[in-house]
Amino acid sequence: MPGKPEAAENGKTPQFTTLKVRLYPTQAQAELFEKTFGCCRYIWNRMLADQQRFYAETDAHFIPTPAKYKNEAPFLREVDNQALIQEHNKLSQAFRVFFKNPKNFGPPNFKRKKDDRDSFTVCNHVMGSSATVYVTKNGLRMTKAGIVRAKFSRRPQNGWRLKRVTVDKTRTGKYHACILYEYAAEAADPVRPTPETAVGLKYSLSHFYVADSGAAADPPHWMRQSQQKLAALQRRLSRMRPGSRNYEETVRKYRLLHEHIANQRRDFIHKESRRIANAWNAVCVREDALDELAKKNAAGNILDSGYGMFRQCLRYKLERQGKPLIVLERYLPTTRTCSDCGWVREAVSPRERSWRCPRCGAVHQRDVNAAKNIKAQGLAQYFDALERRESA
């Protein structure tokens, strides 16, 4: 989450948006980025080690600042100091989250180069008419790196204030910058949903999701084609000698294809969530624990589907239009409940795709019936909460 927003202007509320751009650094700039990645990882591990040692000796929590290590590690002076300060802030935030909810969040861990994502963050400091980070016509100006050539898919609008920039490097060697902007926008008027303008969505392993109307959102066919190419590359890698030239070249193609699949998935999720947010006044979903479903169904790519990211995109896109995302408790028996009469079965086999209600005789498709129950119970939950707020 970004820092504390500035005061609202003329009754408008502060909002944040991020622009992701592709960076094309020179060789010297790329070397500086690599040094910054390593220094951020080094300072994180040193601060965490000293915190653990200080806690073991005094039973008190304390995290030293990066300035303490610059004399013994002079290479830290070669990179932007803001990147090191942000590592201190991230470590402090990680401990705050852990202390607040230790059951769901573990303590911070040490970072390893082969496991850690290469990235660093710098904040923009405005001093009069100058700023430490700003966007130019063909690039992004950063401290010590200078102007880094960049490709923009869109430009910031007037009144947007640049807050911070996160530079990261993919496994395929590409550099990107996520530029966070803050701007003042008028708060959207709350939209009151009705049964006709609301939709219920049920997660589906085979169709991504199924709506209460019976419509399904199947990922595009080109995504399946990429998955087939990935399986072919994996078979080729299994027959090669690790470390050989052909092996390294195939690994590079393998990583590029993985990146391509991730981009395809992200594109599908953003387009589908935008279509739903524009078409409906409320969306009802169930808070399914995807990690638990993945353990029960090892044959499916549940965690690779991106449904968790899909719910997050739906949430913020609906909120910006004043529309609610209604989330139901994960253990509600939506699949076992008859959407016509409300009768609840004891159990439903995972292979049973349709069933007949013994009370009213209605025949239900498994996922469509669950989506109807999610919509009905979600709207009931929303109006109950609304009535309690109005009567308070």
Side-chain angles (χ1 to χ4, degrees):
M1 292 295 293
K4 294 183 179 180
E6 299 182 8
E9 300 177 357
N10 300 326
K12 297 181 179 181
T13 58
Q15 292 187 1
F16 298 91
T17 191
T18 302
L19 303 185
K20 186 173 183 179
V21 301
R22 173 80 182 274
L23 298 180
Y24 297 90
T26 62
Q27 183 177 357
Q29 291 171 337
E31 292 177 357
L32 177 61
F33 288 166
E34 294 297 330
K35 289 181 181 179
T36 308
F37 296 148
C39 289
C40 289
R41 187 164 46 247
Y42 171 85
I43 204 69
W44 172 284
N45 292 336
R46 287 298 306 273
M47 290 187 298
L48 180 57
D50 287 347
Q51 187 277 338
Q52 293 179 351
R53 182 167 52 253
F54 186 83
Y55 183 80
E57 295 174 355
T58 64
D59 199 26
H61 172 71
F62 173 74
I63 303 176
T65 61
K68 173 187 175 183
Y69 307 97
K70 290 189 176 180
N71 290 332
E72 59 182 88
F75 56 85
L76 295 177
R77 304 181 189 274
E78 301 177 7
V79 302
D80 188 357
N81 185 55
Q82 276 297 313
L84 307 181
I85 294 176
Q86 290 304 311
E87 289 300 309
H88 182 272
N89 295 339
K90 293 176 184 177
L91 184 60
S92 301
Q93 175 66 17
F95 273 110
R96 283 194 295 268
V97 173
F98 167 65
F99 293 148
K100 185 177 180 180
N101 192 355
K103 293 183 178 179
N104 296 330
F105 297 95
N109 297 320
F110 291 99
K111 294 183 178 181
R112 298 191 302 175
K113 183 176 181 179
K114 64 178 182 179
D115 299 332
D116 185 38
R117 169 174 166 259
D118 287 333
S119 68
F120 68 88
T121 301
V122 295
C123 288
N124 180 30
H125 293 279
V126 180
M127 297 164 286
S129 59
S130 63
T132 57
V133 182
Y134 56 86
V135 172
T136 64
K137 180 179 179 181
N138 297 318
L140 178 67
R141 193 273 177 189
M142 302 180 65
T143 305
K144 295 198 174 182
I147 298 179
V148 184
R149 191 165 66 90
K151 183 178 181 181
F152 295 85
S153 58
R154 54 182 293 206
R155 288 282 179 168
Q157 301 179 12
N158 292 332
W160 286 17
R161 293 181 290 271
L162 194 155
K163 303 297 291 183
R164 68 185 187 192
V165 174
T166 299
V167 177
D168 66 80
K169 179 185 177 183
T170 65
R171 297 293 297 274
T172 58
K174 299 177 183 178
Y175 294 91
H176 296 90
C178 296
I179 311 174
L180 177 69
Y181 287 94
E182 178 189 5
Y183 60 95
E186 296 183 358
D189 296 329
V191 178
R192 191 183 184 93
T194 62
E196 293 76 20
T197 59
V199 63
L201 304 181
K202 167 67 170 64
Y203 170 73
S204 173
L205 180 60
S206 57
H207 298 290
F208 191 70
Y209 76 75
V210 175
D212 61 279
S213 62
D218 292 318
H221 64 278
W222 36 257
M223 186 175 291
R224 292 194 297 271
Q225 294 175 354
S226 297
Q227 294 285 357
Q228 295 172 358
K229 294 179 182 178
L230 184 64
L233 277 177
Q234 289 173 329
R235 288 193 295 268
R236 288 177 57 187
L237 277 174
S238 65
R239 295 191 295 266
M240 292 183 177
R241 180 170 58 85
S244 63
R245 181 177 301 178
N246 288 339
Y247 181 85
E248 296 298 331
E249 179 65 21
T250 308
V251 168
R252 189 185 68 85
K253 294 180 180 179
Y254 177 79
R255 290 175 176 175
L256 285 172
L257 186 55
H258 255 300
E259 184 179 275
H260 181 64
I261 292 174
N263 292 335
Q264 288 179 321
R265 183 189 305 113
R266 191 179 300 111
D267 178 77
F268 166 73
I269 287 173
H270 277 289
K271 289 180 178 178
E272 188 65 21
S273 59
R274 172 55 62 191
R275 184 189 67 81
I276 294 176
N278 292 343
W280 301 95
N281 290 343
V283 180
C284 305
V285 296
R286 195 175 67 174
E287 193 179 11
D288 294 319
L290 301 182
D291 52 349
E292 294 183 5
L293 293 177
K295 294 178 181 178
K296 296 179 181 178
N297 192 339
N301 297 325
I302 295 179
L303 297 180
D304 294 337
S305 65
Y307 188 74
M309 178 183 177
F310 173 72
R311 289 186 303 198
Q312 295 177 359
C313 292
L314 269 180
R315 182 182 298 279
Y316 82 81
K317 290 175 182 177
L318 288 168
E319 286 179 352
R320 292 188 177 182
Q321 301 182 46
K323 303 175 181 179
L325 176 67
I326 307 169
V327 182
L328 296 179
E329 199 268 330
R330 68 179 65 174
Y331 297 111
L332 287 177
T334 55
T335 303
R336 298 186 288 112
T337 303
C338 175
S339 57
D340 289 352
C341 66
W343 182 77
V344 181
R345 293 183 57 180
E346 292 185 359
V348 178
S349 173
R351 297 182 179 180
E352 191 175 0
R353 307 313 304 172
S354 63
W355 57 279
R356 180 186 298 273
C357 177
R359 175 183 293 180
C360 65
V363 178
H364 299 293
Q365 294 294 326
R366 178 192 180 95
D367 291 337
V368 177
N369 175 69
K372 291 180 179 178
N373 288 324
I374 290 174
K375 175 182 175 179
Q377 297 183 32
L379 289 177
Q381 173 181 301
Y382 171 81
F383 287 115
D384 288 345
L386 183 63
E387 184 179 353
R388 287 195 298 269
R389 287 197 302 266
E390 293 177 349
S391 60

